[in-house]
Amino acid sequence: MESNLHPDMARALLEWQCDMGAIDPIGDMPVDRYALPEANPWGRQARQAALAVPVLDPVESPVETAQKAAKGAGTLDALRAALATFDGCELKKGARNLVFADGTPSARVVIVGEAPGREEDRAGRPFVGQAGQFLDRMLAEIGLSRESNVYITNVLPWRPPQNRTPTGEEIAMMLPFVIRHIELIAPEVIVVMGNTSTKALLDKSGITRLRGHWHEALGRPVLPMLHPAYLLRNPIAKRETWADLLALQARLRDG
């Protein structure tokens, strides 16, 4: 195409463009970047797509992971497997064994303790130490036992270091598994022993005030009781626990 532009004028215009920063020619003709996308692939729609910030999937929290894993467990074996593969809780790294449960799956009573101790961590079963032996004697006084009508688990399946009190975050992570555990057993009565299990299922604290009074959780009656380890340290409280055991016995008899 011939141009009527004088060479000196063309040179002057080119030098002016270079001074203004336009030094990289990309085509013979100017591009209207505000043209419609149908007429120009570099229009507004294309620019918006190119500049759009990708939306990243939110990171799933350990509680959400636990909820999905627990909900997907249709049997006790599946629930145990789900717990064994759950890596959201740091306690798992320092524990010897997963302490899942003990007792009879068709039990009328589910006892929920707090967390495994040293003996439980070694054996992989809840309440096998001195406190567990005392618990067995307590239950026997009202005709209950692991072998026939009691099922025992804990809020935490792994031992906390130095038997420390479980944190709120740890309880929140494990609670979906505890709830699913109880749903699969479907007991008549739930007994929560100690502050941790009472807080987990009833969202209430103060076991010495709450013990002996019936509550409800998961559509079932719940009886808070003092932990057997506490009774071994405070024998005077055994009288109150005996009254709680009789209340449990009466509830099962009347039910």
Side-chain angles (χ1 to χ4, degrees), residues 188-209:
E188 297 177 27
V189 174
I190 303 170
V191 175
V192 286
M193 289 191 158
N195 263 319
T196 297
S197 54
T198 301
K199 176 65 176 177
L201 287 183
L202 299 180
D203 196 24
K204 297 178 182 179
S205 299
I207 186 61
T208 56
R209 173 176 52 86

Side-chain angles (χ1 to χ4, degrees), residues 12-117:
L13 290 173
L14 181 60
E15 290 177 351
W16 177 80
Q17 292 184 37
C18 290
D19 291 339
M20 295 299 293
I23 59 176
D24 295 319
I26 60 174
D28 296 333
M29 298 294 291
V31 177
D32 183 1
R33 300 186 182 276
Y34 291 94
L36 294 175
E38 293 76 8
N40 177 14
W42 289 97
R44 183 177 301 174
Q45 182 176 341
R47 290 198 310 278
Q48 290 176 345
L51 297 175
V53 178
V55 178
L56 301 177
D57 292 334
V59 178
E60 189 174 73
S61 70
V63 174
E64 291 171 329
T65 302
Q67 289 171 339
K68 289 182 179 179
K71 185 177 180 180
T75 65
L76 291 175
D77 288 340
L79 186 64
R80 180 193 288 269
L83 263 174
T85 58
F86 179 74
D87 294 325
C89 185
E90 291 294 317
L91 294 178
K92 179 180 179 180
K93 298 179 180 179
R96 294 186 180 184
N97 287 299
L98 167 70
V99 180
F100 183 68
D102 194 21
T104 306
S106 59
R108 301 181 66 191
V109 179
V110 163
I111 295 176
V112 181
E114 298 185 346

Side-chain angles (χ1 to χ4, degrees), residues 148-164:
S148 59
N149 46 23
V150 172
Y151 188 89
I152 304 175
T153 187
N154 284 316
V155 173
L156 266 60
W158 298 291
R159 181 194 181 194
Q162 307 302 316
N163 292 347
R164 64 162 172 76

Side-chain angles (χ1 to χ4, degrees), residues 137-155:
R137 294 198 297 270
M138 289 167 49
L139 296 174
E141 291 293 330
I142 58 171
L144 299 177
S145 71
R146 309 179 195 221
E147 291 74 24
S148 59
N149 46 23
V150 172
Y151 188 89
I152 304 175
T153 187
N154 284 316
V155 173

